[in-house]
Amino acid sequence: MPAISVRDLRKTFQMKRKSAGLRGSLRALWRPTYQSIEAVRGLSFEMEDGELLGFIGPNGAGKSTTIKILTGILHPSSGEAAVLGHVPWQDRQALAFQIGSVFGQRPQLWYHLPAVDTFYLFGKIYEIDDSSLKRRISFLAEAFEIEELLETPVRKLSLGQRMRCEVAASLLHRPRVLLLDEPSIGLDVVAKQRLRMTIQRMNDMEGVGVLLTSHDAGDIETLCRRVIIVNHGEIVYRDKVSALKRRYLTVKTVDVRYNEQLAPDFSLPGVEMVKVGRYGAKMRFDTRVTPVEPVISGLAAAGSLADVTVSEPSLEEVISAIYARTEV
Amino acid sequence: MRSKEAGALTGEGRVREHSSAAVAGKYWAVFRTQLLNSLAYPIDLLGRSLLIVLFMWIFMNLWRVTYGAVGASSIAGLTLADTMWYLMMAEAVMLSKHDLSETFSEQVKDGSVAYLLNKPFNFILYHFASGLGDSLLAFGGNLLIGSAVVWLMVGPPPGIAGWIFAGAAVVLSWLLDFCFSALIGLSAFVVEETNAFRWIYQKFLLLLGGVLIPLDFFPAWLQTISLNLPFAWIIYGPARLFVEPSLARLGHVFLQQCIWLAVVGGIVWVIYRRVVARLVINGG
């Protein structure tokens, strides 16, 4: 049985509309008009037990709405969903014992208290007995490298430190599924890497399944084997991350440097020259149009090579390309 | 006894039995954590309590002149000392009320309500436990400072029975106030901005609840109206019990508080069920 199963899920919000100015305000009072916003439009997907699934999309794509439906705090307009066998909006309380959630922009730790106070509070809320709770806190403190931070008031922690404490807090009750909504938002590169490492570690050690939404393609690239990309409330892509890269990473960028000056009319067939200098050049080609082999031999034949770097587009660029295609 | 949350599955797939003690332990932990949170800023806590000094000084000047103008030692059975101790208790309750409606409204607007709705506890009881933790400390501070000031102004407080009876009634006052606050707060799920409702409720408490004037001083018709509304039993009930404690009065205050708790609490419960079903969270 999949940990999460979603079928034809839809959520429509009714937004009040008002024209500009006093007249518009008065009219809205007298005869309010509403606009239907379809935040989620017929999503269907499954997540296996213990899987790390990436769920990405731009602002307003419906990611957070979907996560909130899956935690049971939003009711869908139609469709079906099951999380660990529960219909979330019908069994919210029972499901709460089995899932953890972190909403990156909404802190759950008590701001003025040390994180350990919130940990003890959560221990009671999830009905964990005292000795198990103590063991669990020390285990998570070690796994998340937060031993030194637990007794510092949360307001004095850096964002990265706080976020590690937030994720640790959401794992206190050993959930089988963790819903992470933008956990890396606002973090610097080092903090992001540490957070990713700890999420990966908990997945390896406890087999907790993670549904991860993020703006940062790096999160998905590092952590997830499979990815679902949503836009305007619909799935626009779903496959393995590796397949996504294979399929879309066909454009290579080559930076080349020579030990001697290049011919001023330096060019290669099927290759777009981005920039040509006296000792080097930057170029781009699509492997579906121009095979790699003649490009490399062409580069070698042009002179004595000092350095060659071949780079692929980032996952971010790939995703932008997918969005651009679906915008039409 | 199994609680409503019974039926949750453990990680291993077994049905988890929730003992009543474990469920009560949750709300006790919330209450305790809120106490700790309020103690994080002791100066702020003390500062909030100092407000009562100003109020008592104003009331003292106002009522000294009034009693002098009337030329009687008591008005409607209350001496100046009784009136001042009444107002001290009324202000102590009023200033220690936790404004839950504002918390609700903020949580709905910034979306943090999501965290509270996906935890295994009752959203309403969570807020009550948390509000109680906040109110208790503030009430203690108000009582301590307010009593010291009023003692200096008009002499010693009423007997020990007044403290005990009023103390018991104040817990039900907070509960009743909590229900009104919850009602206003729940409207935030629909209208988001609740300032207007909060303002109206505060004014009802000030005028018809007996915060500014003991209801005994009202003309008979207004007194009848006030005593038949719930606001009097949040402020006037415990404060009047404080200065004139008797078992009969205690019984009457409790009865009124329980009746209104059943009515307003019932409405809160029904509305809560409906509101959660049509919940829209910001940032969805």
Side-chain angles (χ1 to χ4, degrees), chain A residues 21-326:
Chain A
L22 182 65
R23 217 170 132 185
S25 298
L26 292 174
R27 193 181 301 145
L29 275 178
W30 179 248
R31 192 179 294 169
T33 52
Y34 293 89
Q35 183 190 8
S36 290
I37 308 279
E38 283 187 280
V40 177
R41 296 195 254 184
L43 284 193
S44 299
F45 68 91
E46 287 189 347
M47 182 180 121
E48 294 307 318
D49 217 2
E51 185 182 1
L52 276 161
L53 177 63
F55 194 64
I56 51 182
N59 284 339
K63 308 183 297 283
S64 297
T65 305
T66 308
I67 290 229
K68 280 169 188 157
I69 292 173
L70 293 178
T71 52
I73 54 181
L74 270 185
H75 288 227
S77 307
S78 67
E80 294 168 22
V83 179
L84 300 167
H86 296 274
V87 175
W89 52 95
Q90 286 170 5
D91 295 334
R92 181 159 50 89
Q93 297 260 319
L95 181 63
F97 282 98
Q98 292 182 281
I99 60 168
S101 52
V102 173
F103 296 81
Q105 298 176 68
R106 321 264 189 237
Q108 61 179 333
L109 298 170
W110 287 53
Y111 189 64
H112 299 298
L113 296 178
V116 71
D117 282 332
T118 306
F119 282 25
Y120 277 107
L121 172 64
F122 282 8
K124 287 287 175 202
I125 286 171
Y126 287 106
E127 302 173 27
I128 307 169
D129 67 76
D130 291 349
S131 60
S132 310
L133 179 63
K134 273 189 188 142
R135 281 199 304 275
R136 185 68 176 159
I137 291 176
S138 68
F139 167 76
L140 289 171
E142 201 187 323
F144 281 76
E145 299 170 35
I146 51 173
E147 294 105 320
E148 306 296 318
L149 312 175
L150 281 182
E151 292 181 358
T152 308
V154 170
R155 66 176 187 278
K156 293 192 174 159
L157 299 179
S158 71
L159 189 59
Q161 292 170 332
R162 207 196 78 203
M163 198 45 74
R164 273 184 287 141
C165 292
E166 293 272 357
V167 178
S170 68
L171 288 166
L172 275 170
H173 57 296
R174 296 175 186 272
R176 281 171 58 196
V177 168
L178 191 58
L179 302 161
L180 298 178
D181 191 11
E182 305 279 0
S184 64
I185 203 156
L187 300 189
D188 62 40
V189 180
V190 180
K192 268 183 194 170
Q193 274 175 350
R194 286 187 87 171
L195 185 67
R196 287 171 193 161
M197 266 168 48
T198 46
I199 294 170
Q200 182 69 62
R201 198 178 300 156
M202 292 311 293
N203 176 256
D204 293 341
M205 290 165 83
E206 301 199 329
V208 56
V210 181
L211 180 65
L212 172 73
T213 82
S214 180
H215 266 82
D216 188 339
D219 288 342
I220 309 293
E221 202 168 2
T222 321
L223 285 170
C224 304
R225 208 173 61 86
R226 216 158 58 87
V227 63
I228 288 173
I229 303 177
V230 285
N231 201 12
H232 301 310
E234 291 170 323
I235 293 178
V236 294
Y237 183 88
R238 79 173 95 201
D239 206 340
K240 289 178 183 162
V241 174
S242 56
L244 176 74
K245 289 172 81 172
R246 242 194 340 269
R247 191 164 156 198
Y248 288 92
L249 301 191
T250 53
V251 176
K252 310 281 179 193
T253 303
V254 181
D255 255 305
V256 61
R257 289 200 66 76
Y258 289 92
N259 294 316
E260 57 210 50
Q261 284 205 14
L262 273 172
D265 58 345
F266 173 70
S267 68
L268 291 168
V271 176
E272 178 200 350
M273 290 295 158
V274 180
K275 192 175 153 192
V276 180
R278 282 165 64 195
Y279 288 90
K282 186 176 183 176
M283 63 206 78
R284 200 161 38 210
F285 69 100
D286 191 331
T287 52
R288 285 172 300 186
V289 181
T290 312
V292 179
E293 204 267 324
V295 176
I296 299 296
S297 28
L299 286 174
S304 159
L305 280 167
D307 192 15
V308 182
T309 315
V310 180
S311 46
E312 296 172 330
S314 67
L315 192 53
E316 221 133 35
E317 289 170 281
V318 171
I319 292 163
S320 304
I322 294 174
Y323 291 155
R325 253 187 25 197
T326 57

Side-chain angles (χ1 to χ4, degrees), chain B residues 153-204:
Chain B
M153 288 171 173
V154 297
I160 187 80
W163 292 92
I164 297 170
F165 289 1
V170 164
V171 175
L172 291 183
S173 287
W174 283 331
L175 200 54
L176 191 51
D177 171 69
F178 169 82
C179 289
F180 274 106
S181 262
L183 212 53
I184 297 168
L186 285 173
S187 67
F189 285 99
V190 183
V191 296
E192 292 206 8
E193 189 50 69
T194 58
N195 275 334
F197 300 131
R198 194 175 310 132
W199 191 87
I200 293 168
Y201 173 60
Q202 292 286 348
K203 299 306 162 271
F204 270 120

Side-chain angles (χ1 to χ4, degrees), chain B residues 38-79:
Chain B
S38 303
L39 283 171
Y41 294 101
I43 304 291
D44 174 61
L45 194 67
L46 190 72
R48 275 162 64 189
S49 294
L50 284 176
L51 198 60
I52 201 167
V53 176
L54 176 72
F55 287 162
M56 287 302 111
W57 181 79
I58 293 171
F59 280 137
M60 184 65 200
N61 285 295
L62 207 66
W63 289 105
R64 188 188 283 144
V65 172
T66 309
Y67 273 83
V70 172
S73 64
S74 78
I75 304 173
L78 293 171
T79 63

Side-chain angles (χ1 to χ4, degrees), chain B residues 65-129:
Chain B
V65 172
T66 309
Y67 273 83
V70 172
S73 64
S74 78
I75 304 173
L78 293 171
T79 63
L80 177 62
D82 289 338
T83 303
M84 285 309 293
W85 279 110
Y86 167 94
L87 291 168
M88 192 283 295
M89 182 54 79
E91 284 300 332
V93 177
M94 189 70 184
L95 294 174
S96 60
K97 283 185 328 88
H98 181 74
D99 198 347
L100 178 79
S101 56
E102 201 172 349
T103 315
F104 266 31
S105 182
E106 284 308 310
Q107 286 175 347
V108 169
K109 274 191 258 178
D110 72 12
S112 55
V113 66
Y115 264 130
L116 299 176
L117 287 171
N118 72 356
K119 293 268 185 298
F121 52 56
N122 180 284
F123 180 73
I124 299 279
L125 292 179
Y126 168 89
H127 273 295
F128 179 62

